[in-house]
mmCIF file with all atom_site columns, all heavy atoms in Angstrom:
data_model
loop_
_atom_site.group_PDB
_atom_site.id
_atom_site.type_symbol
_atom_site.label_atom_id
_atom_site.label_alt_id
_atom_site.label_comp_id
_atom_site.label_asym_id
_atom_site.label_entity_id
_atom_site.label_seq_id
_atom_site.pdbx_PDB_ins_code
_atom_site.Cartn_x
_atom_site.Cartn_y
_atom_site.Cartn_z
_atom_site.occupancy
_atom_site.B_iso_or_equiv
_atom_site.pdbx_formal_charge
_atom_site.auth_seq_id
_atom_site.auth_comp_id
_atom_site.auth_asym_id
_atom_site.auth_atom_id
_atom_site.pdbx_PDB_model_num
ATOM 1  N N   . ALA R 1 77 ? 37.603 -21.144 7.035  1.00 0.00 ? 91  ALA R N   1
ATOM 2  C CA  . ALA R 1 77 ? 38.437 -20.387 7.969  1.00 0.00 ? 91  ALA R CA  1
ATOM 3  C C   . ALA R 1 77 ? 39.378 -19.449 7.227  1.00 0.00 ? 91  ALA R C   1
ATOM 4  O O   . ALA R 1 77 ? 39.584 -18.292 7.640  1.00 0.00 ? 91  ALA R O   1
ATOM 5  C CB  . ALA R 1 77 ? 39.229 -21.339 8.862  1.00 0.00 ? 91  ALA R CB  1
ATOM 6  N N   . ASP R 1 78 ? 39.934 -19.917 6.113  1.00 0.00 ? 92  ASP R N   1
ATOM 7  C CA  . ASP R 1 78 ? 40.812 -19.061 5.301  1.00 0.00 ? 92  ASP R CA  1
ATOM 8  C C   . ASP R 1 78 ? 40.059 -17.831 4.809  1.00 0.00 ? 92  ASP R C   1
ATOM 9  O O   . ASP R 1 78 ? 40.589 -16.712 4.821  1.00 0.00 ? 92  ASP R O   1
ATOM 10 C CB  . ASP R 1 78 ? 41.360 -19.848 4.113  1.00 0.00 ? 92  ASP R CB  1
ATOM 11 C CG  . ASP R 1 78 ? 42.354 -20.922 4.519  1.00 0.00 ? 92  ASP R CG  1
ATOM 12 O OD1 . ASP R 1 78 ? 42.894 -20.851 5.635  1.00 0.00 ? 92  ASP R OD1 1
ATOM 13 O OD2 . ASP R 1 78 ? 42.569 -21.850 3.703  1.00 0.00 ? 92  ASP R OD2 1
ATOM 14 N N   . ASN R 1 79 ? 38.828 -18.034 4.332  1.00 0.00 ? 93  ASN R N   1
ATOM 15 C CA  . ASN R 1 79 ? 38.016 -16.912 3.854  1.00 0.00 ? 93  ASN R CA  1
ATOM 16 C C   . ASN R 1 79 ? 37.713 -15.935 4.978  1.00 0.00 ? 93  ASN R C   1
ATOM 17 O O   . ASN R 1 79 ? 37.759 -14.716 4.790  1.00 0.00 ? 93  ASN R O   1
ATOM 18 C CB  . ASN R 1 79 ? 36.712 -17.439 3.257  1.00 0.00 ? 93  ASN R CB  1
ATOM 19 C CG  . ASN R 1 79 ? 36.849 -17.860 1.808  1.00 0.00 ? 93  ASN R CG  1
ATOM 20 O OD1 . ASN R 1 79 ? 36.699 -17.052 0.893  1.00 0.00 ? 93  ASN R OD1 1
ATOM 21 N ND2 . ASN R 1 79 ? 37.143 -19.125 1.588  1.00 0.00 ? 93  ASN R ND2 1
ATOM 22 N N   . ALA R 1 80 ? 37.400 -16.456 6.147  1.00 0.00 ? 94  ALA R N   1
ATOM 23 C CA  . ALA R 1 80 ? 37.105 -15.591 7.283  1.00 0.00 ? 94  ALA R CA  1
ATOM 24 C C   . ALA R 1 80 ? 38.327 -14.758 7.665  1.00 0.00 ? 94  ALA R C   1
ATOM 25 O O   . ALA R 1 80 ? 38.230 -13.535 7.861  1.00 0.00 ? 94  ALA R O   1
ATOM 26 C CB  . ALA R 1 80 ? 36.635 -16.424 8.473  1.00 0.00 ? 94  ALA R CB  1
ATOM 27 N N   . GLU R 1 81 ? 39.460 -15.409 7.759  1.00 0.00 ? 95  GLU R N   1
ATOM 28 C CA  . GLU R 1 81 ? 40.670 -14.701 8.162  1.00 0.00 ? 95  GLU R CA  1
ATOM 29 C C   . GLU R 1 81 ? 41.097 -13.679 7.115  1.00 0.00 ? 95  GLU R C   1
ATOM 30 O O   . GLU R 1 81 ? 41.675 -12.643 7.452  1.00 0.00 ? 95  GLU R O   1
ATOM 31 C CB  . GLU R 1 81 ? 41.775 -15.708 8.448  1.00 0.00 ? 95  GLU R CB  1
ATOM 32 C CG  . GLU R 1 81 ? 41.486 -16.518 9.712  1.00 0.00 ? 95  GLU R CG  1
ATOM 33 C CD  . GLU R 1 81 ? 42.463 -17.652 9.947  1.00 0.00 ? 95  GLU R CD  1
ATOM 34 O OE1 . GLU R 1 81 ? 43.382 -17.835 9.107  1.00 0.00 ? 95  GLU R OE1 1
ATOM 35 O OE2 . GLU R 1 81 ? 42.306 -18.362 10.961 1.00 0.00 ? 95  GLU R OE2 1
ATOM 36 N N   . ALA R 1 82 ? 40.779 -13.940 5.846  1.00 0.00 ? 96  ALA R N   1
ATOM 37 C CA  . ALA R 1 82 ? 41.072 -12.961 4.796  1.00 0.00 ? 96  ALA R CA  1
ATOM 38 C C   . ALA R 1 82 ? 40.269 -11.682 4.984  1.00 0.00 ? 96  ALA R C   1
ATOM 39 O O   . ALA R 1 82 ? 40.668 -10.608 4.510  1.00 0.00 ? 96  ALA R O   1
ATOM 40 C CB  . ALA R 1 82 ? 40.790 -13.557 3.418  1.00 0.00 ? 96  ALA R CB  1
ATOM 41 N N   . GLU R 1 83 ? 39.143 -11.778 5.687  1.00 0.00 ? 97  GLU R N   1
ATOM 42 C CA  . GLU R 1 83 ? 38.319 -10.605 5.981  1.00 0.00 ? 97  GLU R CA  1
ATOM 43 C C   . GLU R 1 83 ? 38.662 -9.996  7.342  1.00 0.00 ? 97  GLU R C   1
ATOM 44 O O   . GLU R 1 83 ? 37.982 -9.093  7.814  1.00 0.00 ? 97  GLU R O   1
ATOM 45 C CB  . GLU R 1 83 ? 36.832 -10.983 5.968  1.00 0.00 ? 97  GLU R CB  1
ATOM 46 C CG  . GLU R 1 83 ? 36.343 -11.567 4.660  1.00 0.00 ? 97  GLU R CG  1
ATOM 47 C CD  . GLU R 1 83 ? 36.486 -10.619 3.490  1.00 0.00 ? 97  GLU R CD  1
ATOM 48 O OE1 . GLU R 1 83 ? 36.435 -9.389  3.710  1.00 0.00 ? 97  GLU R OE1 1
ATOM 49 O OE2 . GLU R 1 83 ? 36.646 -11.109 2.356  1.00 0.00 ? 97  GLU R OE2 1
ATOM 50 N N   . GLY R 1 84 ? 39.727 -10.494 7.971  1.00 0.00 ? 98  GLY R N   1
ATOM 51 C CA  . GLY R 1 84 ? 40.127 -9.976  9.268  1.00 0.00 ? 98  GLY R CA  1
ATOM 52 C C   . GLY R 1 84 ? 39.331 -10.541 10.429 1.00 0.00 ? 98  GLY R C   1
ATOM 53 O O   . GLY R 1 84 ? 39.334 -9.963  11.523 1.00 0.00 ? 98  GLY R O   1
ATOM 54 N N   . LEU R 1 85 ? 38.659 -11.682 10.217 1.00 0.00 ? 99  LEU R N   1
ATOM 55 C CA  . LEU R 1 85 ? 37.826 -12.291 11.245 1.00 0.00 ? 99  LEU R CA  1
ATOM 56 C C   . LEU R 1 85 ? 38.566 -13.443 11.918 1.00 0.00 ? 99  LEU R C   1
ATOM 57 O O   . LEU R 1 85 ? 39.232 -14.237 11.258 1.00 0.00 ? 99  LEU R O   1
ATOM 58 C CB  . LEU R 1 85 ? 36.532 -12.834 10.631 1.00 0.00 ? 99  LEU R CB  1
ATOM 59 C CG  . LEU R 1 85 ? 35.620 -11.819 9.946  1.00 0.00 ? 99  LEU R CG  1
ATOM 60 C CD1 . LEU R 1 85 ? 34.507 -12.546 9.203  1.00 0.00 ? 99  LEU R CD1 1
ATOM 61 C CD2 . LEU R 1 85 ? 35.033 -10.837 10.955 1.00 0.00 ? 99  LEU R CD2 1
ATOM 62 N N   . TYR R 1 87 ? 38.754 -17.057 13.555 1.00 0.00 ? 101 TYR R N   1
ATOM 63 C CA  . TYR R 1 87 ? 38.029 -18.293 13.259 1.00 0.00 ? 101 TYR R CA  1
ATOM 64 C C   . TYR R 1 87 ? 38.742 -19.442 13.961 1.00 0.00 ? 101 TYR R C   1
ATOM 65 O O   . TYR R 1 87 ? 39.950 -19.628 13.810 1.00 0.00 ? 101 TYR R O   1
ATOM 66 C CB  . TYR R 1 87 ? 37.980 -18.547 11.750 1.00 0.00 ? 101 TYR R CB  1
ATOM 67 C CG  . TYR R 1 87 ? 36.852 -19.457 11.314 1.00 0.00 ? 101 TYR R CG  1
ATOM 68 C CD1 . TYR R 1 87 ? 35.655 -18.919 10.849 1.00 0.00 ? 101 TYR R CD1 1
ATOM 69 C CD2 . TYR R 1 87 ? 36.980 -20.837 11.368 1.00 0.00 ? 101 TYR R CD2 1
ATOM 70 C CE1 . TYR R 1 87 ? 34.610 -19.744 10.443 1.00 0.00 ? 101 TYR R CE1 1
ATOM 71 C CE2 . TYR R 1 87 ? 35.946 -21.666 10.969 1.00 0.00 ? 101 TYR R CE2 1
ATOM 72 C CZ  . TYR R 1 87 ? 34.765 -21.117 10.507 1.00 0.00 ? 101 TYR R CZ  1
ATOM 73 O OH  . TYR R 1 87 ? 33.723 -21.934 10.111 1.00 0.00 ? 101 TYR R OH  1
ATOM 74 N N   . ARG R 1 89 ? 40.137 -22.746 14.400 1.00 0.00 ? 103 ARG R N   1
ATOM 75 C CA  . ARG R 1 89 ? 40.557 -23.804 13.489 1.00 0.00 ? 103 ARG R CA  1
ATOM 76 C C   . ARG R 1 89 ? 40.568 -25.183 14.148 1.00 0.00 ? 103 ARG R C   1
ATOM 77 O O   . ARG R 1 89 ? 40.727 -26.188 13.464 1.00 0.00 ? 103 ARG R O   1
ATOM 78 C CB  . ARG R 1 89 ? 41.937 -23.489 12.917 1.00 0.00 ? 103 ARG R CB  1
ATOM 79 C CG  . ARG R 1 89 ? 41.895 -22.374 11.876 1.00 0.00 ? 103 ARG R CG  1
ATOM 80 C CD  . ARG R 1 89 ? 43.256 -22.116 11.271 1.00 0.00 ? 103 ARG R CD  1
ATOM 81 N NE  . ARG R 1 89 ? 43.183 -21.159 10.166 1.00 0.00 ? 103 ARG R NE  1
ATOM 82 C CZ  . ARG R 1 89 ? 42.990 -21.486 8.894  1.00 0.00 ? 103 ARG R CZ  1
ATOM 83 N NH1 . ARG R 1 89 ? 42.843 -22.754 8.560  1.00 0.00 ? 103 ARG R NH1 1
ATOM 84 N NH2 . ARG R 1 89 ? 42.947 -20.562 7.962  1.00 0.00 ? 103 ARG R NH2 1
#
Side-chain angles (χ1 to χ4, degrees):
D92 291 341
N93 275 273
E95 291 173 359
E97 301 299 331
L99 299 171
Y101 202 96
R103 286 183 173 270

